[in-house]
Amino acid sequence: MLDAVGVRTVRAGDHGSAAATTRLEPAADNWVVAVTHAAGEALALARTLDVAPDGFLDLIDGNRPTWAGCGPRPR
């Protein structure tokens, strides 16, 4: 199951304390929400400008970790 959730384990703080992890998790969650929202906005703009989503995704292919493991490309 962990393969579906993440590709690595990060120890928060000097000793991986629960308090440090609790503080790090909201920041990581916020990043996921921000990236997801930004990707949706960019794809919506691409569609509005009659750019195929695959064309946009090919353009940002250098940033592949953002899309890795997210399933098929949106159509």
Side-chain angles (χ1 to χ4, degrees):
M1 180 176 149
L2 291 178
D3 287 344
V5 175
V7 294
R8 65 189 174 113
T9 300
V10 175
R11 299 251 181 233
D14 292 334
H15 303 289
S17 70
T21 301
T22 300
R23 291 190 304 267
L24 180 60
E25 188 174 358
D29 291 346
N30 186 64
W31 178 83
V32 170
V33 169
V35 167
T36 302
H37 179 79
E41 290 288 334
L43 287 168
L45 178 60
R47 286 186 184 110
T48 299
L49 298 173
D50 292 325
V51 174
D54 277 346
F56 169 74
L57 295 174
D58 287 341
L59 175 70
I60 65 165
D61 198 34
N63 295 322
R64 201 46 156 188
T66 302
W67 291 101
C70 293
R73 289 180 165 193
R75 299 279 174 210

